């Protein structure tokens, strides 16, 4: 999941405060921010546009990809976007840092995508002790994944050699530069499998009681009508269901945004990523974008416990009709 490559960059203030004071209606276009360049992982949104599912649900949607150096919530604050797809744990950081009107109204993955990808010497989280753990940097969802993994293994940062490797996890792990790396089940783990590397894919959080919450949909309080948010969720759910039934719909929707998918090797790689992403959408009980309140509460408590936030934000969860 290469959705959060940048450090969390909050705006100087709530530049969109004037807009936030007036709720939008279905007569307005809703811009949904996708926090990375065009990627197969966004295909449900692409398909919802192309197949007219947003229109069918009664909402006018425009998709907007973020620039390489753009903050996750900068456009949301500025009123350039009304909804953004980002990691919920990073939303907790932003809300605690001052973006108090940020609200989470959907959770897009049923399980947390961040994992420890272990090389030959790391087959269990406890094997990290005294070894080199590669992280893109000390920021973002990847860093939170690392903190969660160390906490679960009952290891301190001093007991592991943290190596900042940028977004080169696959190369760093396969070359032996690090003994393990933080990566995502629907990105680096897929690449390593396709290379035949045989990495150990280790849960950074307890699957039964996770203390981090992954990608979801966010808005600012009072910026978008609750019925509009509910219709967005309805359309995304239908898009995911259709892609699960026929994954080629997702590939074709992404193809118009990512022309390189016409190349057989790139298409095969995208199919692998999509298959892994589908498992995050639906772990067997059907597609559900509801926000698990207990997991959100555990996420807030964990980030406070490890010192990532000074105070747990209030009112982050927004229930939609």
């Amino acid at each position: 999941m290469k959705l959060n490559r940048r450090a969390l960059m909050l705006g100087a203030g709530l530049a969109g405060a004037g807009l936030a004071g007036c709720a939008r209606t279905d007569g307005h276009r809703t811009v949904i921010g996708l926090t990375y360049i065009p990627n197969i992982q966004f295909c449900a949104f692409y398909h919802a546009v192309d197949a007219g599912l947003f229109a069918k649900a009664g909402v006018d949607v425009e998709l907007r990809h973020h620039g390489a150096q753009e903050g996750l919530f900068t456009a949301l604050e500025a009123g350039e976007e009304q909804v953004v797809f980002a990691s919920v744990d990073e939303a907790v950081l932003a809300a605690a840092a001052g973006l108090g009107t940020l609200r989470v109204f959907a959770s897009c993955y049923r399980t947390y995508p961040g994992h420890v990808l272990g090389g030959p010497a790391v087959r269990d989280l406890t094997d990290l002790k005294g070894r080199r753990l590669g992280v893109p940097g000390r920021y973002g969802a990847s860093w939170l994944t690392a903190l969660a993994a160390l906490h679960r293994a009952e290891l301190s940062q001093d007991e592991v050699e943290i190596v900042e490797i940028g977004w080169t996890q696959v190369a760093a792990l396969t070359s032996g530069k690090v003994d393990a790396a933080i990566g995502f089940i629907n990105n680096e783990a897929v690449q390593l499998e396709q290379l035949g590397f045989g990495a150990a894919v280790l849960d950074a959080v307890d699957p039964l009681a996770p203390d981090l919450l992954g990608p979801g949909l966010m808005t600012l309080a009072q910026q978008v009508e609750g019925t509009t948010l509910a219709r967005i969720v309805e359309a995304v759910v239908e898009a995911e269901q259709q892609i699960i039934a026929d994954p080629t719909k997702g590939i074709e929707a992404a193809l118009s945004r990512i022309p390189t998918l016409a190349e057989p090797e790139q298409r095969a790689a995208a199919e692998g990523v999509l298959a892994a992403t589908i498992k995050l959408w639906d772990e067997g009980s059907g597609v559900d974008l509801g926000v698990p309140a207990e997991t959100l509460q555990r996420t807030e408590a964990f980030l406070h416990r490890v010192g990532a936030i000074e105070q747990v934000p209030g009112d982050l969860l927004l229930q939609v009709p």
Side-chain angles (χ1 to χ4, degrees):
M1 183 187 75
K2 296 182 181 178
L3 302 181
N4 299 306
R5 289 196 167 198
R6 299 160 298 282
L8 184 65
M9 297 182 286
L10 296 177
L14 289 180
L19 289 175
C22 300
R24 299 171 65 87
T25 68
D26 292 342
H28 295 81
R29 171 165 291 190
T30 301
V31 179
I32 300 178
L34 304 176
T35 48
Y36 188 53
I37 61 175
N39 191 282
I40 185 64
Q41 295 165 58
F42 298 130
C43 68
F45 295 93
Y46 303 153
H47 180 62
V49 169
D50 295 351
L53 301 182
F54 284 124
K56 174 185 172 184
V59 61
D60 182 9
V61 163
E62 175 186 338
L63 303 179
R64 176 183 178 273
H65 286 279
H66 283 199
Q69 301 302 319
E70 185 175 342
L72 296 179
F73 306 108
T74 305
L76 193 65
E77 291 183 83
E80 297 171 8
E81 297 171 354
Q82 289 73 52
V83 172
V84 66
F85 175 90
S87 196
V88 176
D89 43 24
E90 294 198 75
V92 174
L93 297 183
L99 189 52
T101 57
L102 190 62
R103 299 290 183 268
V104 177
F105 68 91
S107 177
C108 297
Y109 289 177
R110 293 299 88 198
T111 55
Y112 193 72
H115 288 67
V116 172
L117 306 176
V122 178
R123 315 314 280 180
D124 185 87
L125 291 181
T126 57
D127 294 335
L128 289 171
K129 186 174 182 178
R131 293 195 164 90
R132 299 163 298 172
L133 175 62
V135 299
R138 296 173 187 256
Y139 58 83
S142 294
W143 179 239
L144 299 181
T145 300
L147 294 180
L150 295 179
H151 179 77
R152 194 173 184 211
E154 299 183 345
L155 295 172
S156 69
Q157 293 183 44
D158 293 336
E159 292 178 289
V160 177
E161 182 182 350
I162 304 293
V163 183
E164 296 188 30
I165 57 175
W167 297 94
T168 64
Q169 296 101 312
V170 173
L173 191 57
T174 56
S175 67
K177 182 177 180 179
V178 296
D179 301 301
I182 298 299
F184 294 93
I185 194 70
N186 59 333
N187 187 7
E188 290 85 8
V190 174
Q191 295 179 50
L192 289 166
E193 181 180 5
Q194 291 175 337
L195 289 173
F197 181 72
V201 181
L202 307 174
D203 291 321
V205 301
D206 183 348
L208 299 179
D211 44 20
L212 287 178
L213 191 54
L217 294 174
M218 294 119 217
T219 187
L220 296 181
Q222 303 301 316
Q223 186 164 7
V224 184
E225 291 282 1
T227 53
T228 298
L229 298 177
R231 289 168 179 173
I232 289 172
V233 169
E234 176 188 338
V236 174
V237 166
E238 185 171 0
E240 291 183 0
Q241 290 171 333
Q242 291 186 8
I243 292 170
I244 290 169
D246 181 4
T248 61
K249 292 183 183 295
I251 298 293
E252 293 303 316
L255 182 60
S256 63
R257 282 89 175 172
I258 314 169
T260 55
L261 294 187
E263 302 171 12
E265 183 177 347
Q266 292 296 320
R267 184 182 180 107
E271 289 172 344
V273 170
L274 178 56
T277 301
I278 284 175
K279 292 179 181 178
L280 295 171
W281 291 346
D282 180 2
E283 55 184 354
S285 57
V287 175
D288 180 3
L289 267 61
V291 180
E294 290 185 0
T295 304
L296 179 57
Q297 292 170 358
R298 282 194 299 267
T299 298
E300 294 172 330
F302 171 73
L303 295 179
H304 182 262
R305 187 163 58 248
V306 298
I309 59 176
E310 294 184 0
Q311 185 174 351
V312 173
D315 301 323
L316 190 60
L317 177 60
L318 175 63
Q319 300 284 0
V320 296

